[in-house]
Amino acid sequence: MANELEKTNYINSLFEFYEPLLTKKQANYIQLYYGDDFSLGEIAEEYDISRQAVYDNIRRSEKILQQYETKLNLYHSFVERNQKIDQIQAYVAKAYPHDAELNKMISSLETTEEE
């Protein structure tokens, strides 16, 4: 990853797709560390374990999330579909700006994708 912010955004995105596949402990640690911006020390204190144990669990959980993405490709497919919807929306806005039905259909696609 290019930087920590990109990594955080990527892990949070994967977490949104694959959270139900993680154990409760893995999900809690990822949520606290990436979602709630807790430090390793704060998580360790919360669970009464060592910082190293928290670190190891988070790294394992990151690998698991990345393995799920490699196998299932849900996040990548979501990003690609949204890019295509954006392209279609831009074309329709330019070529058919007054076609209310077409614009409504494009909007419906976007809403469905977000659900």
Side-chain angles (χ1 to χ4, degrees):
M1 295 286 140
N3 64 43
E4 284 303 309
L5 182 59
E6 284 180 17
K7 180 180 180 181
T8 297
N9 289 339
Y10 180 67
I11 295 297
N12 278 327
S13 295
L14 294 183
F15 185 62
E16 285 183 42
F17 283 95
Y18 303 114
E19 177 185 3
L21 302 176
L22 297 176
T23 66
K24 185 173 174 58
K25 182 168 75 170
Q26 289 169 332
N28 286 341
Y29 288 1
I30 291 289
Q31 176 60 47
L32 289 172
Y33 188 71
Y34 284 105
D36 300 335
D37 204 27
F38 276 47
S39 70
L40 295 175
E42 290 170 322
I43 298 169
E45 195 174 302
E46 177 85 17
Y47 286 91
D48 196 28
I49 59 173
S50 71
R51 287 178 42 142
Q52 187 63 46
V54 173
Y55 177 82
D56 291 344
N57 188 288
I58 288 172
R59 293 300 164 249
R60 267 193 314 277
S61 299
E62 289 171 355
K63 280 186 179 176
I64 289 168
L65 289 171
Q66 291 170 348
Q67 289 170 347
Y68 287 144
E69 176 60 13
T70 298
K71 291 175 182 172
L72 301 172
N73 222 12
L74 297 178
Y75 172 67
H76 181 74
S77 296
F78 173 80
V79 170
E80 279 188 344
R81 280 191 309 275
N82 276 326
Q83 289 171 342
K84 288 175 184 175
I85 289 172
D86 289 347
Q87 290 172 341
I88 292 168
Q89 195 171 34
Y91 176 77
V92 168
K94 183 178 178 183
Y96 305 98
H98 304 294
D99 189 330
E101 186 62 27
L102 187 54
N103 280 291
K104 182 178 166 186
M105 292 167 69
I106 297 296
S107 186
S108 171
L109 267 179
E110 211 170 27
T111 304
T112 302
E113 189 61 31
E114 290 171 0
E115 292 175 351

